[in-house]
Amino acid sequence: MNWMRTILDGFAMAAYFNLFAAAVALYNPRLMFPSYPPAIIRSAPEPPSKAENRFYWLWIFFGELLPLLLYGAVSMVEGGTHGFWQMALTGYIQWMMINLCDLFFLDIFLIQKRAKRRFVIPGTEGDPGYGFKVWMKSYALPEHLLQWPLLLCPLMAAVQAGIGVLLMRLLI
């Protein structure tokens, strides 16, 4: 396993994930509606439409996850990482870096500090769910300390490792 490449790829993947998500949310926060805390979604005068939900899931899969999975798998193969378990460990480290950068860059730095007003969904202004303690306790910390490390990172690492193994077999 190439540690330097793993860490640099993790930062590159985190930058892509977070900057793309921030750009979409800053353009129109309603496009990110399904990723907001349930209390804020319930307090919105207009719930997310089917078209908004559809766009969100298509964008997450084809705009965020699939490119990152492919990039991570190609980079692992190109960097000389061999074997499913080494690839899975590499992928887990990269996805954890995405997770931690998401927590610190999006949830804390942008949404809570720098651009808080720009991330507010119209009609939910003044909702207590946007407060720092409530946001962290009810949404960000459970997501980034439980959901990502225990579910999403292992799943994405396994998929990325599987793609890497398939690429290796195609190239050999």
Side-chain angles (χ1 to χ4, degrees):
M1 186 164 110
N2 187 337
W3 285 97
M4 184 61 72
R5 188 173 189 132
T6 299
I7 291 168
L8 291 175
D9 281 344
F11 279 127
M13 293 166 72
Y16 174 84
F17 181 89
N18 288 297
L19 293 174
F20 196 22
V24 169
L26 288 171
Y27 171 71
N28 183 359
R30 282 192 64 93
L31 296 176
M32 295 292 289
F33 218 138
S35 69
Y36 276 71
I40 293 173
I41 293 171
R42 284 191 300 270
S43 72
E46 286 184 43
S49 68
K50 288 183 181 181
E52 288 171 329
N53 281 335
R54 184 172 179 262
F55 170 82
Y56 174 79
W57 290 110
L58 287 172
W59 168 74
I60 285 292
F61 184 75
F62 291 108
E64 290 273 6
L65 300 179
L66 187 59
L68 290 171
L69 287 168
L70 293 174
Y71 172 81
V74 168
S75 181
M76 283 189 300
V77 171
E78 181 65 28
T81 303
H82 301 290
F84 178 83
W85 292 109
Q86 282 189 342
M87 288 182 174
L89 176 61
T90 300
Y92 187 83
I93 292 167
Q94 291 168 342
W95 285 95
M96 277 301 293
M97 291 177 72
I98 294 169
N99 171 38
L100 294 175
C101 290
D102 182 9
L103 172 64
F104 290 111
F105 177 70
L106 282 179
D107 287 324
I108 294 175
F109 181 71
L110 278 182
I111 295 175
Q112 293 298 319
K113 303 289 180 199
R114 288 285 179 203
K116 189 171 190 163
R117 286 178 280 129
R118 305 248 350 246
F119 283 92
V120 174
I121 294 172
T124 64
E125 297 87 352
D127 189 286
Y130 288 113
F132 183 79
K133 286 184 180 178
V134 174
W135 183 276
M136 289 294 133
K137 184 179 175 185
S138 68
Y139 180 68
L141 292 179
E143 176 186 0
H144 293 290
L145 299 180
L146 294 172
Q147 180 184 355
W148 272 78
L150 299 176
L151 298 173
L152 192 59
C153 290
L155 176 65
M156 293 292 113
V159 171
Q160 185 172 309
I163 294 170
V165 168
L166 287 173
L167 286 172
M168 285 184 62
R169 293 207 177 160
L170 288 173
L171 296 174
I172 295 178

